[in-house]
Amino acid sequence: LPADRGSNTEIEDRSETGMAKEALIAPSILSADFARFGEEVRAIDEAGCDWVHVDVMDGHFVPNITFGAPVIKAIRNRTDAFFDCHLMIAPADLYLAAFAEAGCDGLTVHAEAGPHLDRSLQTIRNLGKKAGVSLNPATPESAIEYVLDRLDLILLMTVNPGFGGQAFIPAVVEKVRRVRALIGDRPIRIEIDGGVTPETAPLVAAAGADVLVAGAAVFKGGSVEAYRANIEAIRSAADAARA
Ligand code: DX5
Ligand code: ZN
């Protein structure tokens, strides 16, 4: 795999404008066929994904349950791509070491999931992982104003977390602009999660997003060829809007 694609464990690939050069595509394996989980991870790798987005849900912070660290560990060897772990769990701190140990490269916690966001972010960096924070659609960007220097990634939810295949919430596009201004020239990526398609990707890409998660829009068609076409459609729509 080319250095700037699948084997991307380097999060800071940036131009002079502060934004990363190309939008990265992170398929969410929440939409994979769980009976063929390892093969599905292999398939998106072969299809040219940049990162693998791994959605962990606890049935408490969000109204759905997915999988935990042992399952992530089992699929980790199917690709060299950056494992972008989105923790929709509360509390998160107790489990960060286990997800690091399972082979995640980045750990993202929700600002709404606990009272000590600063501590959670310090823990992630102390584990040697990239630190991310996620904001639900209704959470203002002021929630992260005082932790910017502890962040590698800001994940802005464009659906209410819990399920794949939901409709994109357009009000978040303005938040993407505000977060882009807030981070200034810090090497922090802005990732978008929820309802990303070739139609919605340009809206967030133009506003300053540089990593796009997509579940339903990638995992349709059921073959490497279909996944490749789906990834390319999102990537080219985003890159055209960023140009
Ligand atoms: C939602 C998850 C998302 C989800 C996105 O709670 O965090 O990553 O898989 O799925 P789509 O792209 O189908 O909206
Ligand atoms: Zn997610």
Side-chain angles (χ1 to χ4, degrees):
L1 290 162
D4 61 330
R5 290 291 182 210
S7 55
N8 190 352
T9 47
E10 183 48 71
I11 207 164
E12 298 166 19
D13 165 34
R14 318 189 69 78
S15 69
E16 354 33 277
T17 64
M19 274 169 69
K21 289 193 251 348
E22 286 180 298
L24 301 182
I25 308 299
S28 163
I29 54 174
L30 180 61
S31 292
D33 176 354
F34 282 5
R36 301 170 43 253
F37 213 20
E39 291 157 55
E40 290 273 75
V41 173
R42 189 71 221 124
I44 51 166
D45 176 297
E46 285 173 23
C49 73
D50 297 296
W51 291 3
V52 175
H53 185 78
V54 181
D55 285 309
V56 177
M57 304 187 186
D58 67 353
H60 167 72
F61 179 68
V62 289
N64 195 8
I65 300 174
T66 56
F67 46 77
V71 173
I72 296 172
K73 192 170 190 172
I75 57 172
R76 174 64 272 197
N77 67 1
R78 303 305 168 102
T79 176
D80 291 329
F82 186 94
F83 259 36
D84 169 39
C85 184
H86 178 191
L87 295 171
M88 288 162 276
I89 64 175
D93 292 12
L94 283 174
Y95 305 99
L96 294 171
F99 286 102
E101 169 72 15
C104 298
D105 300 297
L107 296 173
T108 295
V109 294
H110 267 263
E112 308 87 356
H116 305 296
L117 177 60
D118 185 274
R119 174 183 289 140
S120 303
L121 296 171
Q122 289 195 53
T123 303
I124 295 169
R125 282 202 169 159
N126 287 339
L127 288 164
K129 304 301 174 182
K130 299 295 183 184
V133 64
S134 182
L135 301 180
N136 283 332
T139 303
E141 67 281 2
S142 57
I144 55 174
E145 218 177 314
Y146 298 100
V147 293
L148 290 171
D149 291 325
R150 299 204 189 283
L151 289 173
D152 301 298
L153 177 84
I154 299 167
L155 195 174
L156 299 177
M157 294 305 302
T158 40
V159 298
N160 291 293
F163 305 94
Q166 302 183 84
F168 179 89
I169 298 173
V172 182
V173 175
E174 176 58 24
K175 183 157 57 177
V176 180
R177 276 194 199 93
R178 292 184 188 192
V179 168
R180 176 53 67 194
L182 191 62
I183 66 183
D185 59 7
R186 293 177 183 84
I188 302 174
R189 287 193 182 270
I190 300 178
E191 181 176 39
I192 301 300
D193 189 5
V196 170
T197 65
E199 289 68 45
T200 57
L203 305 173
V204 286
D210 48 21
V211 186
L212 303 179
V213 175
V218 167
F219 284 95
K220 55 180 191 189
S223 67
V224 173
E225 296 67 36
Y227 298 168
R228 183 178 294 118
N230 297 339
I231 289 169
E232 273 317 308
I234 297 166
R235 201 200 306 281
S236 57
D239 285 344
R242 286 157 54 86

